[in-house]
Amino acid sequence: MTIANEVAYGKAAGNDVATSWTIAVSIRVKDTVVVQYENTSGVLSALTLDVDYTVTGITDDGFTLTLTSFLLATGEYLHVRSEEDFTQELPLPAGSNYPADTIEAAFDKLTRLAQQLKLTLTQCIKLALPRVGDSTNLEIDEDLSEGSY
């Protein structure tokens, strides 16, 4: 299998009817799927595998995600991503010939991990690096420091 450009993230939109979606996210096992529910106010909530949703029909091109605990309304979304463990799957014994599909599977996993990191970094708060001589202390808004969010 060859990994397409962006396969670490998928999004499904609600329509008050559908309970299943085909998600084009490359996974190998269903336990690596992470799903977040976004309500109409934009608030994200984590969903639980085999409680709120199921994963079936895993292929090289994606899988089927089915909601089991509620109906996704119009204006609500599911954010789906793969979250794989950072492990080495490929044993490389010295002096042996390596089958092409084994090498390709290893590079596919590296690609999925790189995409996973990219997605995680896009969701982080970013701060500008201080210039030489600038204070490294963060300025805190007085309203927020008193707990009035």
Side-chain angles (χ1 to χ4, degrees):
M1 155 176 81
T2 299
I3 299 291
N5 290 340
E6 290 295 329
V7 296
Y9 173 79
K11 188 174 183 178
N15 63 5
D16 298 314
V17 178
T19 58
S20 292
W21 295 267
T22 299
I23 306 293
V25 172
S26 177
I27 65 169
R28 299 184 90 181
V29 294
K30 69 178 188 173
D31 295 339
T32 63
V33 176
V34 176
V35 179
Q36 291 179 307
Y37 160 73
E38 179 183 351
N39 67 16
T40 55
S41 299
V43 177
L44 294 174
S45 304
L47 299 183
T48 304
L49 178 64
D50 294 330
V51 174
D52 298 312
Y53 67 94
T54 60
V55 172
T56 57
I58 298 171
T59 67
D60 288 347
D61 298 323
F63 59 92
T64 300
L65 180 117
T66 303
L67 281 178
T68 57
S69 62
F70 64 96
L71 186 64
L72 198 63
T74 300
E76 297 177 335
Y77 298 93
L78 296 177
H79 299 272
V80 183
R81 61 188 165 92
S82 173
E83 198 168 272
E84 294 197 30
D85 292 331
F86 285 79
T87 58
Q88 180 183 352
E89 288 185 354
L90 181 63
L92 297 174
S96 68
N97 294 326
Y98 308 113
D101 59 340
T102 303
I103 299 296
E104 187 173 5
F107 282 116
D108 287 347
K109 180 169 183 179
L110 289 173
T111 302
R112 289 191 302 272
L113 291 172
Q115 291 174 349
Q116 177 181 318
L117 284 172
K118 177 184 173 190
L119 179 63
T120 301
L121 290 173
T122 61
Q123 296 174 341
C124 292
I125 296 174
K126 295 172 182 66
L127 299 174
L129 293 174
R131 294 179 298 207
V132 175
D134 283 354
S135 170
T136 57
N137 296 330
L138 296 176
E139 298 295 326
I140 298 176
D141 188 345
E142 291 300 320
D143 292 335
L144 293 178
S145 65
E146 297 174 10
S148 57
Y149 305 38

